[in-house]
Amino acid sequence: MYYRVCFHIVWTTLDRMPTIDFERAACLRRILPTAARENGGQLLGIGIVQTHLHVLVRATPRFDCARFVGRAKSVSSLLSRREELGDPDRPLRWASGYSVTSVGPNEVGRIRQYVLGQARRHPEEAIPDSPSA
């Protein structure tokens, strides 16, 4: 069955410190699709810069946004430490909370482009060699 409920979700690093580097962004790209599926969603786009990330998720009626974000934050922090990703003196830590906005069916394409374009919107925070999808 096809669902037309989508969410644009954003969360930031603690104190907006630039702690997301190439390795940590790759880790996030690896875990976010699984976290979305586990919570009843499908990832439609990811945009990551050094201080925050945007995701666009198509949700089923059982999608649990808080659980998705909590899982993504905890797993990414844990893997970052366990796999020794990035600068050990600047651990990947997340600010509490997140922003979520519902996205209407006619806006999904535009919002997906917005999400994918974060490196262009924040060139000073862009992660070198990181994909935009």
Side-chain angles (χ1 to χ4, degrees), residues 10-15 69 73 93-99:
V10 182
W11 65 93
T12 67
T13 58
L14 184 65
D15 297 326
V69 174
K73 286 180 177 183
R93 296 175 58 204
W94 299 107
S96 62
Y98 58 94
S99 167

Side-chain angles (χ1 to χ4, degrees), residues 5-12 32 35-37 39-49 52-60 63-73 94-95 97-103 111-112 114-116 118:
V5 178
C6 293
F7 297 108
H8 174 200
I9 308 167
V10 182
W11 65 93
T12 67
L32 286 170
R37 274 192 309 276
N39 288 287
Q42 174 190 7
L43 212 57
L44 301 179
I46 306 170
I48 304 173
V49 293
H52 65 281
L53 66 114
H54 292 246
V55 296
L56 180 62
V57 177
R58 177 176 292 133
T60 65
F63 183 73
D64 186 332
C65 192
R67 184 171 287 172
F68 163 68
V69 174
R71 179 87 170 136
K73 286 180 177 183
W94 299 107
Y98 58 94
S99 167
V100 60
T101 306
S102 60
V103 178
I111 298 301
R112 183 172 187 274
Y114 175 81
V115 165
L116 297 177
Q118 290 305 300

Side-chain angles (χ1 to χ4, degrees), residues 80-97:
S80 180
R81 284 191 310 274
R82 184 181 294 159
E83 296 177 7
E84 298 178 1
L85 304 177
D87 183 350
D89 294 328
R90 296 176 70 153
L92 179 60
R93 296 175 58 204
W94 299 107
S96 62

